[in-house]
Amino acid sequence: MRKVSATFLSSKNIPRDLTKLNETDVDYIHVDVMDGKFVENKTLQFNELKYIYKYTSKRLDVHLMVENPSKYIPLYAELNTEYITFHVEVLEDIVKDLELIKSYSIKCGLAINPETKVSDLVPYLPYLDLILVMGVHPGMGGQEFIPETVDKVKEVRELIKSYNSKALISVDGGVNDKVKDLLLDVDILTSGSYIVLSDNFQEKITSLR
Ligand code: DX5
Ligand code: ZN
């Protein structure tokens, strides 16, 4: 069955919504981390976010939208983390950062922005556990899904097959019950506002599977 990862970026009350998400069957909590440089916005700093365990025991799917993943990886590796994903567009040594994540026995992923070519992932395929295909331009929740993402996911699936990669595909941004039917070949659907701004989290999560 398809997995669902819920992000609280659009949440109006993070402790309340994390507690509510903890009562659902959502597979992961997607933690969006923004440094105000790679993307304009900034999110909760680590010294606040590290208390997330008080509100949820769900495994974390950390999405680093930061210029220097090497700075953030050791911090988020301390938490109940299943995946750490950063962007293929960063200027740091990507292989070094992927190996750093794996050194904590945490699964590693690369995210690609809408304007980035899928072929940019090729050098890293042997390392990847996850490819996060952005359905919106990173930086905020509640945006419209970019339709070209559907073809991009097909390209990523072809790449995984031809390079015999073990990476799973996740789509992040603008995902809802309409969009999910365009993404049947996706392993994990990451969704924010569609879930946390609704009045029934479980119903919305179930509608994505
Ligand atoms: C955007 C984030 C996404 C976003 C998804 O920069 O990486 O995870 O929060 O939120 P929705 O589902 O509301 O587009
Ligand atoms: Zn995200």
Side-chain angles (χ1 to χ4, degrees):
M1 190 159 77
R2 166 134 68 187
K3 291 196 185 301
V4 176
S5 184
T7 162
F8 53 87
L9 187 66
S10 299
S11 165
K12 304 275 178 274
N13 178 334
I14 293 178
R16 178 200 64 192
D17 289 347
L18 283 173
T19 305
K20 284 167 68 177
L21 280 170
N22 201 46
E23 285 144 27
T24 72
D25 66 2
V26 78
D27 299 276
Y28 307 111
I29 298 295
H30 182 89
V31 180
D32 283 312
V33 182
M34 302 179 185
D35 63 359
K37 292 183 280 186
F38 184 79
V39 290
E40 250 153 64
N41 291 337
K42 277 184 97 164
T43 45
L44 280 184
Q45 294 309 300
F46 180 76
N47 56 12
E48 289 173 273
L49 207 119
K50 69 184 175 195
Y51 297 110
I52 191 168
Y53 66 86
K54 288 185 179 171
Y55 306 106
T56 181
S57 55
K58 298 280 182 183
R59 297 285 279 165
L60 305 182
D61 161 34
V62 178
H63 176 196
L64 300 177
M65 289 161 275
V66 301
E67 275 185 357
N68 308 93
S70 56
K71 224 174 76 186
Y72 293 79
I73 291 164
L75 296 175
Y76 286 87
E78 274 173 40
L79 305 180
N80 181 25
T81 302
E82 179 90 7
Y83 288 101
I84 297 180
T85 300
F86 60 94
H87 275 255
V88 73
E89 297 88 5
V90 298
L91 300 178
E92 281 198 340
D93 179 333
I94 288 182
V95 170
K96 205 152 150 264
D97 286 347
L98 291 171
E99 284 179 337
L100 177 61
I101 297 169
K102 295 168 97 79
S103 73
Y104 293 100
S105 307
I106 290 173
K107 292 175 188 157
C108 65
L110 278 179
I112 50 171
N113 283 337
E115 63 281 354
T116 302
K117 298 189 312 303
V118 167
S119 54
D120 286 5
L121 290 167
V122 170
Y124 314 111
L125 285 170
Y127 298 87
L128 296 180
D129 298 302
L130 181 69
I131 295 170
L132 185 66
V133 181
M134 293 307 295
V136 297
H137 293 282
M140 56 194 271
Q143 301 177 76
E144 274 299 298
F145 180 76
I146 298 170
E148 287 73 12
T149 310
V150 175
D151 288 341
K152 196 156 191 187
V153 164
K154 290 191 182 106
E155 267 187 81
V156 169
R157 183 58 75 195
E158 280 315 304
L159 205 68
I160 287 173
K161 278 199 196 112
S162 53
Y163 284 85
N164 206 6
S165 158
K166 63 182 180 317
L168 298 183
I169 301 178
S170 178
V171 171
D172 180 19
V175 172
N176 57 35
D177 58 334
K178 310 264 175 317
V179 164
K180 65 127 200 205
D181 293 327
L182 306 172
L183 299 171
L184 297 176
D185 186 17
V186 167
D187 304 294
I188 303 171
L189 284 180
T190 300
S191 180
S193 48
Y194 174 65
I195 297 170
V196 295
L197 299 183
S198 78
D199 53 8
N200 185 327
F201 288 13
Q202 183 57 65
E203 184 190 272
K204 296 299 176 202
I205 291 160
T206 305
S207 76
L208 293 176
R209 290 194 190 280

